[in-house]
């Protein structure tokens, strides 16, 4: 079905592209479970994505997201902990 | 309930890339971007733009933008915003959150489904910026970011 080419069962986002003539193209996006990147689903695009069996979700295809599993929530916590440690060290 | 805010920005984009709008953590509060709009308010021209939404760890030099609360009863925002950067933020390599090409005459809107937002860590000067690179000229581009904190 042509109208369902850019849809997915569990979209994480949606894009609307309005051209100068007023036409609107729409598409669902998927989100990488490791870096939060969004991409529009284009069947047959040839872009290699992945799937993380630990997070049970799609990955964007960047080497660092394909190589090891670091869920984005964990990455946020690590960044926040690192910043706190640095500020503690500066205070000493 | 989280409070929602809007940040708008403009930039006369030049190659190789200029940051149009950014939102950054300043008071150790997390933010979540959920709605982004990209376009151009310049005279219509045939210019190809590449937009990249990326994470940064230092804010760069920019004109500060005070986030506008969507609910007038909301308190002042904890996070900060910036536009029209003259020195680029320090972007982290390979952290593109959105990466797309757009004709200058077109408008692009991205909306997150619940749970699909871009999270800004609660680390001072860390944030998310929208940078644009035109294939020619210096088109005036616009980017609006809605986030909650």
């Amino acid at each position: 079905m042509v109208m369902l080419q850019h849809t997915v069962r569990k979209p994480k986002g949606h894009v609307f592209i309005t051209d100068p003539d007023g036409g609107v193209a729409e598409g669902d996006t998927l989100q990488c479970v490791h870096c939060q990147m969004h991409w529009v689903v284009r069947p047959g695009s040839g872009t290699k994505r992945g799937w993380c069996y630990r997070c049970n979700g799609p990955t964007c295809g960047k080497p660092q997201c394909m190589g090891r599993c670091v869920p984005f929530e964990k990455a946020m916590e690590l960044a926040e902990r690192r910043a706190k440690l640095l500020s503690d060290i500066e205070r000493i | 309930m989280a409070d929602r805010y809007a940040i708008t920005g403009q930039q006369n984009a030049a190659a190789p890339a200029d940051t149009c709008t950014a939102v950054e953590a300043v008071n150790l509060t997390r933010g979540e971007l959920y709605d982004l709009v990209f376009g151009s308010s310049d005279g219509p021209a045939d210019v190809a733009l590449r937009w990249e939404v990326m994470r940064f760890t230092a804010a760069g030099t920019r004109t500060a933008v005070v986030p506008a609360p969507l609910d007038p009863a909301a308190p002042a925002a904890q996070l900060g915003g910036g536009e029209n950067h003259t020195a680029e933020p320090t972007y982290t390599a390979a952290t593109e959150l959105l990466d797309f090409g757009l004709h200058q005459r077109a408008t692009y809107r991205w909306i997150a489904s619940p749970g699909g937002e871009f999270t800004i860590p609660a680390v001072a000067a860390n944030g998310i910026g929208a940078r644009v690179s035109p294939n020619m000229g210096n088109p005036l581009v616009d980017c609006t970011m809605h986030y909650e904190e």
Side-chain angles (χ1 to χ4, degrees), chain B residues 36-124:
Chain B
L36 304 176
V37 184
F38 307 85
S40 170
S41 51
D42 211 338
D46 285 326
V47 177
L49 302 167
R50 182 191 180 191
W51 285 92
E52 292 169 290
V53 177
M54 294 181 72
R55 296 186 185 281
F56 60 78
T57 53
T61 309
R62 75 278 187 233
T63 305
V65 177
V66 178
L70 301 193
D71 177 357
Q78 299 283 303
L79 276 68
E83 67 167 330
N84 196 20
H85 289 60
T86 52
E88 287 295 286
T90 307
Y91 286 106
T92 309
T95 59
E96 292 89 350
L97 300 173
L98 280 174
D99 188 350
F100 56 92
L102 187 69
H103 194 284
Q104 189 196 318
R105 300 177 195 225
T107 302
Y108 190 103
R109 183 179 183 200
W110 167 84
I111 307 166
S113 300
E117 301 88 353
F118 297 143
T119 309
I120 300 169
V123 179

Side-chain angles (χ1 to χ4, degrees), chain A residues 12 14 16 18 36 38 80, chain B residues 30 55 97 107 111 116 119:
Chain A
K12 286 291 187 174
H14 203 73
F16 300 87
T18 309
Q36 293 196 308
H38 276 249
E80 287 164 359
Chain B
R30 276 192 183 183
R55 296 186 185 281
L97 300 173
T107 302
I111 307 166
T119 309

Side-chain angles (χ1 to χ4, degrees), chain A residues 26-45:
Chain A
E26 297 182 41
D28 286 338
T29 61
L30 285 175
Q31 185 179 33
C32 177
V33 289
H34 293 163
C35 74
Q36 293 196 308
M37 182 185 183
H38 276 249
W39 65 89
V40 177
V41 178
R42 287 198 181 89
S45 71

Side-chain angles (χ1 to χ4, degrees), chain A residues 11-69:
Chain A
K12 286 291 187 174
H14 203 73
V15 296
F16 300 87
I17 304 165
T18 309
D19 66 38
D21 303 323
V24 179
E26 297 182 41
D28 286 338
T29 61
L30 285 175
Q31 185 179 33
C32 177
V33 289
H34 293 163
C35 74
Q36 293 196 308
M37 182 185 183
H38 276 249
W39 65 89
V40 177
V41 178
R42 287 198 181 89
S45 71
T47 308
K48 287 189 178 173
R49 311 288 184 186
W51 185 269
C52 177
Y53 286 96
R54 263 181 80 187
C55 301
N56 197 27
T59 54
C60 61
K62 292 192 201 102
Q64 70 267 30
C65 293
M66 301 285 276
R68 57 192 275 250
C69 173

